[in-house]
Amino acid sequence: MLIKTNGIRIDYRDEGAGLPVIFLHAFPLNQTMWDDQLIALQNHCRTITLDLRGFGGSEAPQGPYLMDQLAADVRGLMSALGIDRAVLVGLSMGGYVSLAFYRSYPGSVQAMVLADTRASADTDEARERRLRSAEKAERDGARAIADDMIPLLLGRTTLDRRSPVVERVRTMIEGNSPRGIAGAQRGMAERRDSTPLLAMINVPVLVIAGAEDTLTPVAEADSLRNGIRGARIHVIQRAGHLSNMEQPAEFNSALLGFIEPLKGAF
Ligand code: MLT
């Protein structure tokens, strides 16, 4: 479905009923990375996925897409759907957006799942790498970015043994526009350090990490857990950065275990 918010068209899905759970996808994918989670949660809560600006069926205006802008898009969608508070499930870039969202709209967050993500800003070196990758997307197209990123996004086990997952990820990346990919890279390069925010978070948080994630190693997940009062952590073996796609059954059971007790408060 399509909705216009903050001047652009956003593509989203809204299914089921009850506690609203909003899924925020990784870079440079789209909302279909959450398909396994939608199936698992369909009789448990209201699930909302969206293509962040620049990705999938959403519009890709000129970037950079600051994390605060992406968070404002999510808030705009919530307003349009009549949702005051939601559980946010953000993976990697989706986690950066979740933290930016919490900074701007803490009262709109019931709980958060932060998967394969980090609170810190980029190092100078990482920022340079991103800016080069943004130029490469514009010059060589989405396929070149898929070639660069797939070995980083997926864990060793998936790369060796689960070619359908590898193909799904490739299709998602190649379906995105170079402008969207570049806009998000430049926006992530500018993102602020959310470490000081962690101590202010006072909603339930579950941190999830793939044991084979080399982009955001488990040590990053430990820092999130240690920084957020009462946060729990779940490490998934034989999963890399896209832990929800690589080991969906274990990811879903951790997610459901976290969400079920929240339904009482809804
Ligand atoms: C992602 O999966 O969203 C990206 O790896 C995030 C990043 O590039 O920092």
Side-chain angles (χ1 to χ4, degrees):
M1 285 183 285
L2 293 173
I3 211 162
K4 191 127 191 193
T5 189
N6 298 324
I8 64 150
R9 197 182 59 246
I10 292 285
D11 192 333
Y12 73 100
R13 295 178 290 184
D14 178 9
E15 290 165 14
L19 177 71
V21 181
I22 302 180
F23 291 88
L24 301 170
H25 66 79
F27 170 88
L29 305 185
N30 67 42
Q31 61 181 321
T32 67
M33 72 169 258
W34 298 113
D35 284 356
D36 291 322
Q37 284 65 52
L38 293 199
I39 293 167
L41 268 61
Q42 65 186 347
N43 295 318
H44 296 271
C45 50
R46 179 176 178 186
T47 52
I48 294 114
T49 64
L50 67 145
D51 289 328
L52 294 165
R53 70 167 61 205
F55 296 97
S58 292
E59 239 176 285
Q62 194 59 45
Y65 309 148
L66 302 182
M67 298 302 104
D68 287 346
Q69 176 65 67
L70 299 181
D73 293 343
V74 176
R75 191 68 195 80
L77 176 62
M78 285 174 71
S79 300
L81 300 179
I83 298 171
D84 293 330
R85 283 180 95 205
V87 179
L88 300 181
V89 182
L91 191 143
S92 198
M93 179 178 74
Y96 308 156
V97 178
S98 300
L99 291 170
F101 187 99
Y102 191 91
R103 186 184 297 111
S104 297
Y105 318 102
S108 300
V109 182
Q110 179 146 359
M112 285 191 285
V113 178
L114 300 172
D116 303 287
T117 193
R118 66 177 81 225
S120 53
D122 278 353
T123 59
D124 289 343
E125 202 188 336
R127 200 171 294 123
E128 284 303 314
R129 242 194 333 266
R130 270 193 210 289
L131 300 179
R132 279 199 303 274
S133 164
E135 282 167 18
K136 182 169 184 175
E138 289 166 336
R139 190 181 59 240
D140 301 335
R143 177 174 292 192
I145 301 303
D147 291 342
D148 286 351
M149 289 211 65
I150 286 172
L152 305 173
L153 288 169
L154 295 168
R156 187 174 19 87
T157 306
T158 305
L159 290 168
D160 288 349
R161 300 191 210 153
R162 305 195 65 209
S163 54
V165 176
V166 181
E167 282 318 304
R168 254 181 88 198
V169 171
R170 177 171 286 283
T171 304
M172 277 188 246
I173 299 176
E174 291 185 1
N176 286 322
S177 69
R179 182 154 70 173
I181 292 172
Q185 277 290 36
R186 294 191 176 112
M188 286 191 287
E190 286 183 42
R191 78 183 189 283
R192 50 203 269 200
D193 181 12
S194 291
T195 309
L197 177 77
L198 300 183
M200 279 140 58
I201 296 177
N202 64 358
V203 296
V205 172
L206 172 64
V207 177
I208 297 182
E212 297 178 2
D213 187 347
T214 51
L215 279 176
T216 47
V218 174
E220 292 287 350
D222 277 329
S223 314
L224 282 173
R225 190 263 306 265
N226 293 335
I228 302 172
R229 206 172 322 112
R232 283 181 281 146
I233 187 166
H234 185 103
V235 178
I236 302 182
Q237 301 302 320
R238 293 177 297 283
H241 190 60
L242 300 179
S243 57
N244 72 309
M245 294 182 66
E246 297 183 56
Q247 293 295 343
E250 187 170 342
F251 190 99
N252 294 344
S253 94
L255 188 56
L256 269 170
F258 178 68
I259 283 173
E260 283 298 327
L262 302 171
K263 284 159 72 174
F266 175 66

